[in-house]
Structures are given as structure tokens and as C-alpha cells.
Amino acid sequence: MTTHGFPETHVFFRKLTAHLPVIERSAGCWLYDADGNAFLDACGGAFVVNVGHGVAEIADAMAEQARRLAYVSGAAFSNEPVEELAAEMAALAPGDLDRVYPLSSGSDAIEAALKLGRQYWLECGRARKHKIIALAPAYHGNTLLALSASAREHYRTHYYGWLVNVVRIPAPYAYRCGCGGIPPYCPACSGAALEEAIVREDPETVAVFIAEPVGGSSTGASVPPPEYFRRVREICDRYDVLFIADEVLVGAGRTGTWSALEPSGVVPDVMVMGKGIAGGYAPLAAVVAPTRIADVLARGSGALNHAQTFSHHPVLCAAGVATIRYLRAHRLVERCAAIGPVLQRRLARLRELPYVGDVRGRGLLAGVELVEDKETRAPFAREAHVAERLTAAARDVGLVVWPNVGHANGERGDTIMIAPPFIITEDEIEMIGDRLDAALVTVSRTLTGASSANA
Ligand code: PLP
């Protein structure tokens, strides 16, 4: 096994059979490999690099913090950057969400949020409230509790005996639900499926409902109807169920507002942020919760049972503070909202191509769903690896996109995700469209089963 430029590797790679180019440097929306090839980063790595590559202010803030104070245990001391990050994030969070618990990955923060939900009810004296309700499709991370909440079978299959039971309801996924996202809504899109599940399970046993406000990689940028989360809020209030909003992928401005839930006016009980909050400069995530929930633990056990060595880390928090201030100083969330429709309009033109079943999204988050039959919306066989092949074809023409699989029926489904840095220009958006066109044409030629309905 070799990689470009490194004839012998000691790296245990995520993909053990892949031949990965070595990226040497980056700037703006671009990555440059060791051979001088340039790649347009149309997905911010993994929906992470919202501010763009090579921001010196963020790198400098981290270096300065590392020189001044690199580490203290969050159990023994506070530090200036964690206080500043908490103040910044509390000011941006909706409603009464004013307590910020920084961690170092989205999965870690999802684990912490779910455990917070369980611990809250236990310390309220309602010990039977322990069940988690989650959507299908859904993705909330790869550690075991987060994976339990995720309906992504190809990640789960090796660990079935280790995962906890999670009650699953269908996601509001307009391209594949009963109503197409148009009123009168089906139970998945109206929220009725949530109420039915809570009543069926016995509300006194249900602790939390977790969902992404816009489907990130789970439903490939599917946007629920505007009323959906208002109904979710009412139902959760009626049955004393905590609503956890997973904003790891769609938060930090990605859909044109700081949180993707913002346009609905709904305040969740707990919000989880990650990826874009430190722009890829540091592995930072956070649980954001109200004092009314933290106070129950303060009066009871005295701590959230999620002790992690690198929580409240000064350098990671300094990266978060610098990123949030950079986003604000350059009005980049506003820029994302303004230029998002340009991206969505350019990608909508892909609908004319064979196999493009749907194009959707909000802000600078978009999904292009590929199907074998545009009429019936039948997905490709998984063995065809269409999303992966399209991603490889895009990389061959210098474009980095993200492949999603499995959302059509748990196993099948191919979607390409686009999520460029917020500094993307209109010319670069045109380039994303042109390069994706070219990659789609290349892959289409190799696909069997093309019918006249697809042309
Ligand atoms: N939640 C959502 C919605 C995600 O998309 C992800 C990762 O893609 C996670 C949680 C887990 O985050 P991480 O990969 O940082 O552990």
C-alpha cells in the first residue's frame, strides 16, 4: 500500500484501499496537492471550512493561546477562551440557551447531549424517562450512543449487539415521503408520526427527541416544511420530552442563519454545534443548553457525567472565538444567505441531466440525488457505487464534493452534497456547476439501464 509521495506509510487510513493525494496547502476555496494540482473545495472538507482556508487571524489566535496557556483540565480550572466562547455562542443561540459545554467532536457532543437528556429526567425524579426518539434517515455520529441514534445501517451493522434501542420515526424527506413536502402533509412531514410514537411508547418513558433542523448528510439537504418544528415543539412540550437540535452540520451559518432552526422561530431544549464553529482550524464541538436544565444537575449530582480530558480546551476554544469573530467581522453568514440562491439556481440546472432525480437545499448547503429511474425515483443498486464514482470523477476534474449513500431505503440511495466556504464567488459557483456537469456526463456514460425516461 502506497500513497502519492509516500512510498511507505504508517498511517492507518480511514479507507485502507484508497490511493489518497497528499494536500500540501490551501487558500480560500482551493486545495493544492504535492504535484501542483488545484482542487476546488466545494464541500469545505466535510461541511467544516465555512470561513475558507488559510485565515491567518484564526491561526494566529490559536498559536498565541498555545504559547500563553495550552492546556488546563476543565475539571480543575476555567480559562479566558472558554469564557469568551461561551459568551459568544450564548449570544448567538436562540431563546434561553445560555450554557456552553465545549468538546472536541460532533459525536462526542451528541453523546453528551443525549446523556444530559437522560440525566436531567433522572435528577427531576422521573427515572422511567429514558427512551430516545430519532428520525430515519438520520446521522448523529459514529460513537456508540450517537450511532444508536443514527439510522445508517452500513455503519451500524458490525455493532448491533452493542447499540441501544432507539425509537425511530420517518424523517420529513420530501423527495421520498408520502406527500412530497406539500400540504396536506403526511404523518412524517406534519409531525403526527412523532406524537404517535410518544403516545405508543408511553410518554413517561420518553426522554428526548433528536433531529437535524435541515437534513444534512442524512437526507441530503432536505428542508422540512416550515411548520414541522413548530409542531415538534408543541408535541415535546405537551408530553415533557426534551427536543435536541443537532446543528453539527447545518449550524454555524451553513444554511444562511447561525442556526438552521432559526427561520422556524423554534427554541430547542438542547442544541449541538460542531464542524463549522471553528472552521476546520480546530476540532471543536459544543452542547448548548439553558440554565434551567443545568440547574437541575447543579442542585442534584453536581455534574454532567461526561468527563473528557479535552473538554473546555483553551486552544480549541480560542479557535472557536476567532472563527466566530471572523464570521461576524466579514458578515459571512449574511453572505451565505445572499449567495446561497445563486448556488441553488446553478445546481437546479443539473436536473436536465440523466439520472439527476432531485436538487435541493438552503443557503450554501445543497444535495443532488441520483436515481436509476427519474420517473419512479428508483435508486441504483448499492453495488453500482454511483455516489462514490461521481465523487471520484469530480475529483479528476479538480472538484471536491461529498458522497452520501443509503438514504433511499437504509441501504440504497446516492446523493452528492455541495457545501462550499461562505467566501465562494459567483465565478467559482459557475465552476462547481460546470465541473459537476462534466463528472455527471462521464459517470452517466458508464451506467447501464439508462432508459429514454432518463434522457
Ligand atoms: N451530527 C451530524 C448531523 C453530523 O453530520 C455529524 C458528522 O458528520 C455528527 C453529528 C458527528 O460529528 P463528528 O464527525 O465531528 O463526530
Side-chain angles (χ1 to χ4, degrees):
M1 181 71 40
T2 62
T3 57
H4 288 298
F6 291 93
E8 293 199 1
T9 184
H10 296 278
V11 180
F12 195 142
F13 282 106
R14 280 166 64 157
K15 289 183 179 156
L16 289 165
T17 55
H19 195 65
L20 303 177
V22 178
I23 297 299
E24 269 189 352
R25 66 188 177 87
S26 59
C29 296
W30 292 86
L31 305 172
Y32 302 93
D33 75 8
D35 301 326
N37 299 310
F39 301 87
L40 177 51
D41 185 3
C43 58
F47 315 91
V48 170
V49 189
N50 295 0
V51 285
H53 295 276
V55 176
E57 289 94 319
I58 303 173
D60 291 345
M62 291 174 70
E64 197 194 318
Q65 184 57 46
R67 272 194 295 271
R68 185 147 25 113
L69 169 69
Y71 180 79
V72 280
S73 167
F77 297 102
S78 187
N79 61 78
E80 277 175 33
V82 77
E83 296 286 350
E84 287 176 26
L85 179 72
E88 291 281 0
M89 290 186 69
L92 287 164
D96 60 351
L97 302 187
D98 61 351
R99 291 297 187 104
V100 178
Y101 194 117
L103 287 155
S104 48
S105 81
S107 304
D108 189 6
I110 291 288
E111 299 269 332
L114 291 169
K115 288 159 85 178
L116 174 61
R118 168 62 181 148
Q119 215 182 314
Y120 170 78
W121 289 118
L122 206 56
E123 300 200 21
C124 283
R126 296 172 72 175
R128 289 181 64 223
K129 272 187 159 313
H130 70 286
K131 291 180 187 164
I132 298 167
I133 300 183
L135 299 175
Y139 182 63
H140 299 293
N142 238 319
T143 51
L144 291 181
L145 188 58
L147 190 57
S148 299
S150 303
R152 188 165 284 189
E153 289 319 307
H154 57 282
Y155 284 157
R156 295 162 52 91
T157 168
H158 295 103
Y159 312 111
Y160 280 145
W162 296 352
L163 302 174
V164 302
N165 283 330
V166 165
V167 179
R168 231 159 256 301
I169 59 169
Y173 178 9
Y175 187 61
R176 296 198 174 277
C177 70
C179 66
I182 296 162
Y185 295 125
C186 63
C189 289
S190 71
L194 174 62
E195 181 156 29
E196 193 270 322
I198 295 173
V199 171
R200 187 189 63 232
E201 293 295 324
D202 175 359
E204 203 40 48
T205 67
V206 179
V208 302
F209 169 59
I210 182 166
E212 281 185 282
V214 169
S217 58
S218 52
T219 55
S222 216
V223 182
E227 303 89 337
Y228 180 74
F229 282 104
R230 289 198 280 275
R231 182 86 191 277
V232 162
R233 183 67 276 173
E234 280 165 27
I235 294 166
C236 288
D237 286 343
R238 187 172 319 136
Y239 297 104
D240 282 348
V241 170
L242 296 182
F243 167 37
I244 301 176
D246 180 347
E247 296 254 5
V248 169
L249 191 155
V250 297
R254 173 54 59 195
T255 65
T257 46
W258 175 251
S259 87
L261 202 52
E262 218 167 288
S264 71
V266 167
V267 180
D269 296 293
V270 179
M271 182 175 268
V272 183
M273 310 288 285
K275 293 188 185 273
I277 56 169
Y281 292 79
L284 181 69
V287 177
V288 190
T291 294
R292 70 182 154 83
I293 289 184
D295 269 356
V296 171
L297 275 59
R299 286 193 297 270
S301 63
L304 170 64
N305 257 323
H306 194 71
Q308 297 283 307
T309 300
F310 294 123
S311 78
H312 306 75
H313 191 288
V315 180
L316 305 194
C317 292
V321 172
T323 304
I324 290 169
R325 291 182 180 163
Y326 189 86
L327 282 166
R328 190 167 46 234
H330 296 269
R331 300 184 60 77
L332 289 184
V333 178
E334 292 83 345
R335 181 178 163 73
C336 171
I339 204 164
V342 178
L343 176 75
Q344 304 292 344
R345 276 197 299 275
R346 175 60 187 90
L347 295 179
R349 282 164 41 200
L350 298 173
R351 284 174 188 273
E352 292 152 25
L353 294 177
Y355 307 112
V356 176
D358 194 27
V359 180
R360 56 194 178 238
R362 190 162 84 198
L364 285 174
L365 178 71
V368 179
E369 182 157 349
L370 303 156
V371 289
E372 185 159 37
D373 186 329
K374 288 169 86 158
E375 198 93 350
T376 63
R377 304 185 178 185
F380 288 100
R382 187 73 292 272
E383 305 77 58
H385 295 298
V386 173
E388 295 90 332
R389 281 161 61 195
L390 184 53
T391 304
R395 205 174 75 188
D396 287 348
V397 292
L399 179 71
V400 187
V401 295
W402 188 265
N404 267 359
V405 300
H407 37 277
N409 65 2
E411 187 211 346
R412 292 181 178 201
D414 297 88
T415 293
I416 293 300
M417 302 284 292
I418 318 291
F422 302 170
I423 53 166
I424 190 97
T425 63
E426 295 202 17
D427 284 349
E428 286 167 333
I429 286 176
E430 202 50 44
M431 217 180 277
I432 292 175
D434 291 349
R435 291 183 182 193
L436 209 44
D437 270 352
L440 272 159
V441 168
T442 304
V443 172
S444 297
R445 283 202 203 104
T446 68
L447 293 171
T448 52
S451 68
S452 52
N454 284 325

mmCIF file with all atom_site columns, all heavy atoms in Angstrom, residues 105-108 110 139-141 212 217 246 248-249 275, ligand 1:
data_model
loop_
_atom_site.group_PDB
_atom_site.id
_atom_site.type_symbol
_atom_site.label_atom_id
_atom_site.label_alt_id
_atom_site.label_comp_id
_atom_site.label_asym_id
_atom_site.label_entity_id
_atom_site.label_seq_id
_atom_site.pdbx_PDB_ins_code
_atom_site.Cartn_x
_atom_site.Cartn_y
_atom_site.Cartn_z
_atom_site.occupancy
_atom_site.B_iso_or_equiv
_atom_site.pdbx_formal_charge
_atom_site.auth_seq_id
_atom_site.auth_comp_id
_atom_site.auth_asym_id
_atom_site.auth_atom_id
_atom_site.pdbx_PDB_model_num
ATOM   1   N N   . SER A 1 105 ? -15.528 16.742 19.336 1.00 0.00 ? 105 SER A N   1
ATOM   2   C CA  . SER A 1 105 ? -16.085 16.204 18.083 1.00 0.00 ? 105 SER A CA  1
ATOM   3   C C   . SER A 1 105 ? -17.604 16.239 18.167 1.00 0.00 ? 105 SER A C   1
ATOM   4   O O   . SER A 1 105 ? -18.172 16.264 19.276 1.00 0.00 ? 105 SER A O   1
ATOM   5   C CB  . SER A 1 105 ? -15.618 14.768 17.802 1.00 0.00 ? 105 SER A CB  1
ATOM   6   O OG  . SER A 1 105 ? -16.385 13.842 18.544 1.00 0.00 ? 105 SER A OG  1
ATOM   7   N N   . GLY A 1 106 ? -18.240 16.236 17.008 1.00 0.00 ? 106 GLY A N   1
ATOM   8   C CA  . GLY A 1 106 ? -19.702 16.247 16.970 1.00 0.00 ? 106 GLY A CA  1
ATOM   9   C C   . GLY A 1 106 ? -20.275 15.024 17.668 1.00 0.00 ? 106 GLY A C   1
ATOM   10  O O   . GLY A 1 106 ? -21.238 15.126 18.441 1.00 0.00 ? 106 GLY A O   1
ATOM   11  N N   . SER A 1 107 ? -19.692 13.862 17.432 1.00 0.00 ? 107 SER A N   1
ATOM   12  C CA  . SER A 1 107 ? -20.197 12.630 18.055 1.00 0.00 ? 107 SER A CA  1
ATOM   13  C C   . SER A 1 107 ? -20.127 12.739 19.572 1.00 0.00 ? 107 SER A C   1
ATOM   14  O O   . SER A 1 107 ? -21.065 12.358 20.291 1.00 0.00 ? 107 SER A O   1
ATOM   15  C CB  . SER A 1 107 ? -19.365 11.420 17.616 1.00 0.00 ? 107 SER A CB  1
ATOM   16  O OG  . SER A 1 107 ? -19.342 11.322 16.223 1.00 0.00 ? 107 SER A OG  1
ATOM   17  N N   . ASP A 1 108 ? -18.999 13.241 20.054 1.00 0.00 ? 108 ASP A N   1
ATOM   18  C CA  . ASP A 1 108 ? -18.785 13.416 21.487 1.00 0.00 ? 108 ASP A CA  1
ATOM   19  C C   . ASP A 1 108 ? -19.869 14.333 22.072 1.00 0.00 ? 108 ASP A C   1
ATOM   20  O O   . ASP A 1 108 ? -20.461 14.048 23.127 1.00 0.00 ? 108 ASP A O   1
ATOM   21  C CB  . ASP A 1 108 ? -17.384 14.053 21.626 1.00 0.00 ? 108 ASP A CB  1
ATOM   22  C CG  . ASP A 1 108 ? -16.878 14.123 23.038 1.00 0.00 ? 108 ASP A CG  1
ATOM   23  O OD1 . ASP A 1 108 ? -17.533 13.580 23.941 1.00 0.00 ? 108 ASP A OD1 1
ATOM   24  O OD2 . ASP A 1 108 ? -15.805 14.726 23.231 1.00 0.00 ? 108 ASP A OD2 1
ATOM   25  N N   . ILE A 1 110 ? -22.835 14.980 20.757 1.00 0.00 ? 110 ILE A N   1
ATOM   26  C CA  . ILE A 1 110 ? -24.152 14.322 20.679 1.00 0.00 ? 110 ILE A CA  1
ATOM   27  C C   . ILE A 1 110 ? -24.307 13.341 21.857 1.00 0.00 ? 110 ILE A C   1
ATOM   28  O O   . ILE A 1 110 ? -25.353 13.293 22.510 1.00 0.00 ? 110 ILE A O   1
ATOM   29  C CB  . ILE A 1 110 ? -24.317 13.580 19.327 1.00 0.00 ? 110 ILE A CB  1
ATOM   30  C CG1 . ILE A 1 110 ? -24.415 14.584 18.172 1.00 0.00 ? 110 ILE A CG1 1
ATOM   31  C CG2 . ILE A 1 110 ? -25.523 12.633 19.347 1.00 0.00 ? 110 ILE A CG2 1
ATOM   32  C CD1 . ILE A 1 110 ? -25.711 15.366 18.098 1.00 0.00 ? 110 ILE A CD1 1
ATOM   33  N N   . TYR A 1 139 ? -28.373 10.895 10.787 1.00 0.00 ? 139 TYR A N   1
ATOM   34  C CA  . TYR A 1 139 ? -26.983 10.632 11.156 1.00 0.00 ? 139 TYR A CA  1
ATOM   35  C C   . TYR A 1 139 ? -26.587 11.584 12.274 1.00 0.00 ? 139 TYR A C   1
ATOM   36  O O   . TYR A 1 139 ? -26.752 12.803 12.142 1.00 0.00 ? 139 TYR A O   1
ATOM   37  C CB  . TYR A 1 139 ? -26.020 10.796 9.969  1.00 0.00 ? 139 TYR A CB  1
ATOM   38  C CG  . TYR A 1 139 ? -24.605 10.465 10.381 1.00 0.00 ? 139 TYR A CG  1
ATOM   39  C CD1 . TYR A 1 139 ? -24.277 9.167  10.804 1.00 0.00 ? 139 TYR A CD1 1
ATOM   40  C CD2 . TYR A 1 139 ? -23.608 11.439 10.408 1.00 0.00 ? 139 TYR A CD2 1
ATOM   41  C CE1 . TYR A 1 139 ? -22.995 8.856  11.230 1.00 0.00 ? 139 TYR A CE1 1
ATOM   42  C CE2 . TYR A 1 139 ? -22.316 11.127 10.826 1.00 0.00 ? 139 TYR A CE2 1
ATOM   43  C CZ  . TYR A 1 139 ? -22.022 9.838  11.235 1.00 0.00 ? 139 TYR A CZ  1
ATOM   44  O OH  . TYR A 1 139 ? -20.762 9.522  11.669 1.00 0.00 ? 139 TYR A OH  1
ATOM   45  N N   . HIS A 1 140 ? -26.102 11.038 13.388 1.00 0.00 ? 140 HIS A N   1
ATOM   46  C CA  . HIS A 1 140 ? -25.714 11.873 14.526 1.00 0.00 ? 140 HIS A CA  1
ATOM   47  C C   . HIS A 1 140 ? -24.307 11.564 15.022 1.00 0.00 ? 140 HIS A C   1
ATOM   48  O O   . HIS A 1 140 ? -23.917 12.051 16.085 1.00 0.00 ? 140 HIS A O   1
ATOM   49  C CB  . HIS A 1 140 ? -26.727 11.708 15.670 1.00 0.00 ? 140 HIS A CB  1
ATOM   50  C CG  . HIS A 1 140 ? -28.119 12.129 15.299 1.00 0.00 ? 140 HIS A CG  1
ATOM   51  N ND1 . HIS A 1 140 ? -28.452 13.437 15.032 1.00 0.00 ? 140 HIS A ND1 1
ATOM   52  C CD2 . HIS A 1 140 ? -29.259 11.413 15.102 1.00 0.00 ? 140 HIS A CD2 1
ATOM   53  C CE1 . HIS A 1 140 ? -29.733 13.517 14.706 1.00 0.00 ? 140 HIS A CE1 1
ATOM   54  N NE2 . HIS A 1 140 ? -30.249 12.301 14.738 1.00 0.00 ? 140 HIS A NE2 1
ATOM   55  N N   . GLY A 1 141 ? -23.552 10.714 14.310 1.00 0.00 ? 141 GLY A N   1
ATOM   56  C CA  . GLY A 1 141 ? -22.177 10.452 14.732 1.00 0.00 ? 141 GLY A CA  1
ATOM   57  C C   . GLY A 1 141 ? -21.889 8.971  14.828 1.00 0.00 ? 141 GLY A C   1
ATOM   58  O O   . GLY A 1 141 ? -22.773 8.127  14.685 1.00 0.00 ? 141 GLY A O   1
ATOM   59  N N   . GLU A 1 212 ? -32.096 16.715 13.098 1.00 0.00 ? 212 GLU A N   1
ATOM   60  C CA  . GLU A 1 212 ? -31.415 17.820 12.423 1.00 0.00 ? 212 GLU A CA  1
ATOM   61  C C   . GLU A 1 212 ? -32.483 18.778 11.878 1.00 0.00 ? 212 GLU A C   1
ATOM   62  O O   . GLU A 1 212 ? -33.431 18.326 11.217 1.00 0.00 ? 212 GLU A O   1
ATOM   63  C CB  . GLU A 1 212 ? -30.617 17.304 11.230 1.00 0.00 ? 212 GLU A CB  1
ATOM   64  C CG  . GLU A 1 212 ? -29.296 16.670 11.550 1.00 0.00 ? 212 GLU A CG  1
ATOM   65  C CD  . GLU A 1 212 ? -28.558 16.327 10.264 1.00 0.00 ? 212 GLU A CD  1
ATOM   66  O OE1 . GLU A 1 212 ? -28.888 15.315 9.627  1.00 0.00 ? 212 GLU A OE1 1
ATOM   67  O OE2 . GLU A 1 212 ? -27.658 17.086 9.882  1.00 0.00 ? 212 GLU A OE2 1
ATOM   68  N N   . SER A 1 217 ? -26.247 15.264 6.046  1.00 0.00 ? 217 SER A N   1
ATOM   69  C CA  . SER A 1 217 ? -25.925 14.113 5.202  1.00 0.00 ? 217 SER A CA  1
ATOM   70  C C   . SER A 1 217 ? -27.004 13.034 5.312  1.00 0.00 ? 217 SER A C   1
ATOM   71  O O   . SER A 1 217 ? -27.043 12.113 4.511  1.00 0.00 ? 217 SER A O   1
ATOM   72  C CB  . SER A 1 217 ? -24.550 13.551 5.549  1.00 0.00 ? 217 SER A CB  1
ATOM   73  O OG  . SER A 1 217 ? -24.501 13.171 6.887  1.00 0.00 ? 217 SER A OG  1
ATOM   74  N N   . ASP A 1 246 ? -29.791 18.816 16.464 1.00 0.00 ? 246 ASP A N   1
ATOM   75  C CA  . ASP A 1 246 ? -28.420 18.504 16.033 1.00 0.00 ? 246 ASP A CA  1
ATOM   76  C C   . ASP A 1 246 ? -28.047 19.476 14.911 1.00 0.00 ? 246 ASP A C   1
ATOM   77  O O   . ASP A 1 246 ? -28.451 19.308 13.756 1.00 0.00 ? 246 ASP A O   1
ATOM   78  C CB  . ASP A 1 246 ? -28.341 17.055 15.555 1.00 0.00 ? 246 ASP A CB  1
ATOM   79  C CG  . ASP A 1 246 ? -26.925 16.682 15.082 1.00 0.00 ? 246 ASP A CG  1
ATOM   80  O OD1 . ASP A 1 246 ? -26.097 17.598 14.905 1.00 0.00 ? 246 ASP A OD1 1
ATOM   81  O OD2 . ASP A 1 246 ? -26.671 15.483 14.873 1.00 0.00 ? 246 ASP A OD2 1
ATOM   82  N N   . VAL A 1 248 ? -24.864 20.145 14.167 1.00 0.00 ? 248 VAL A N   1
ATOM   83  C CA  . VAL A 1 248 ? -23.433 19.903 13.926 1.00 0.00 ? 248 VAL A CA  1
ATOM   84  C C   . VAL A 1 248 ? -23.063 20.253 12.482 1.00 0.00 ? 248 VAL A C   1
ATOM   85  O O   . VAL A 1 248 ? -22.074 20.932 12.234 1.00 0.00 ? 248 VAL A O   1
ATOM   86  C CB  . VAL A 1 248 ? -23.063 18.439 14.265 1.00 0.00 ? 248 VAL A CB  1
ATOM   87  C CG1 . VAL A 1 248 ? -21.663 18.097 13.765 1.00 0.00 ? 248 VAL A CG1 1
ATOM   88  C CG2 . VAL A 1 248 ? -23.166 18.201 15.769 1.00 0.00 ? 248 VAL A CG2 1
ATOM   89  N N   . LEU A 1 249 ? -23.876 19.803 11.536 1.00 0.00 ? 249 LEU A N   1
ATOM   90  C CA  . LEU A 1 249 ? -23.558 20.039 10.118 1.00 0.00 ? 249 LEU A CA  1
ATOM   91  C C   . LEU A 1 249 ? -24.229 21.312 9.597  1.00 0.00 ? 249 LEU A C   1
ATOM   92  O O   . LEU A 1 249 ? -23.620 22.097 8.885  1.00 0.00 ? 249 LEU A O   1
ATOM   93  C CB  . LEU A 1 249 ? -23.982 18.822 9.285  1.00 0.00 ? 249 LEU A CB  1
ATOM   94  C CG  . LEU A 1 249 ? -23.514 18.749 7.834  1.00 0.00 ? 249 LEU A CG  1
ATOM   95  C CD1 . LEU A 1 249 ? -23.457 17.293 7.350  1.00 0.00 ? 249 LEU A CD1 1
ATOM   96  C CD2 . LEU A 1 249 ? -24.385 19.552 6.888  1.00 0.00 ? 249 LEU A CD2 1
ATOM   97  N N   . LYS A 1 275 ? -18.422 21.031 13.701 1.00 0.00 ? 275 LYS A N   1
ATOM   98  C CA  . LYS A 1 275 ? -17.855 21.323 12.376 1.00 0.00 ? 275 LYS A CA  1
ATOM   99  C C   . LYS A 1 275 ? -17.466 22.795 12.179 1.00 0.00 ? 275 LYS A C   1
ATOM   100 O O   . LYS A 1 275 ? -16.359 23.193 12.500 1.00 0.00 ? 275 LYS A O   1
ATOM   101 C CB  . LYS A 1 275 ? -18.839 20.869 11.303 1.00 0.00 ? 275 LYS A CB  1
ATOM   102 C CG  . LYS A 1 275 ? -19.005 19.328 11.253 1.00 0.00 ? 275 LYS A CG  1
ATOM   103 C CD  . LYS A 1 275 ? -19.829 18.910 10.068 1.00 0.00 ? 275 LYS A CD  1
ATOM   104 C CE  . LYS A 1 275 ? -20.133 17.413 10.035 1.00 0.00 ? 275 LYS A CE  1
ATOM   105 N NZ  . LYS A 1 275 ? -19.116 16.600 9.398  1.00 0.00 ? 275 LYS A NZ  1
HETATM 106 N N1  . PLP B 2 .   ? -24.273 15.091 13.726 1.00 0.00 ? 1   PLP B N1  1
HETATM 107 C C1  . PLP B 2 .   ? -24.347 15.336 12.417 1.00 0.00 ? 1   PLP B C1  1
HETATM 108 C C2  . PLP B 2 .   ? -25.625 15.885 11.857 1.00 0.00 ? 1   PLP B C2  1
HETATM 109 C C3  . PLP B 2 .   ? -23.262 15.084 11.582 1.00 0.00 ? 1   PLP B C3  1
HETATM 110 O O1  . PLP B 2 .   ? -23.357 15.319 10.265 1.00 0.00 ? 1   PLP B O1  1
HETATM 111 C C4  . PLP B 2 .   ? -22.063 14.569 12.159 1.00 0.00 ? 1   PLP B C4  1
HETATM 112 C C5  . PLP B 2 .   ? -20.900 14.277 11.306 1.00 0.00 ? 1   PLP B C5  1
HETATM 113 O O2  . PLP B 2 .   ? -20.924 14.307 10.117 1.00 0.00 ? 1   PLP B O2  1
HETATM 114 C C6  . PLP B 2 .   ? -22.030 14.326 13.526 1.00 0.00 ? 1   PLP B C6  1
HETATM 115 C C7  . PLP B 2 .   ? -23.143 14.611 14.299 1.00 0.00 ? 1   PLP B C7  1
HETATM 116 C C8  . PLP B 2 .   ? -20.791 13.775 14.170 1.00 0.00 ? 1   PLP B C8  1
HETATM 117 O O3  . PLP B 2 .   ? -19.756 14.695 14.131 1.00 0.00 ? 1   PLP B O3  1
HETATM 118 P P1  . PLP B 2 .   ? -18.228 14.229 14.156 1.00 0.00 ? 1   PLP B P1  1
HETATM 119 O O4  . PLP B 2 .   ? -17.934 13.544 12.859 1.00 0.00 ? 1   PLP B O4  1
HETATM 120 O O5  . PLP B 2 .   ? -17.460 15.513 14.362 1.00 0.00 ? 1   PLP B O5  1
HETATM 121 O O6  . PLP B 2 .   ? -18.068 13.304 15.313 1.00 0.00 ? 1   PLP B O6  1
#
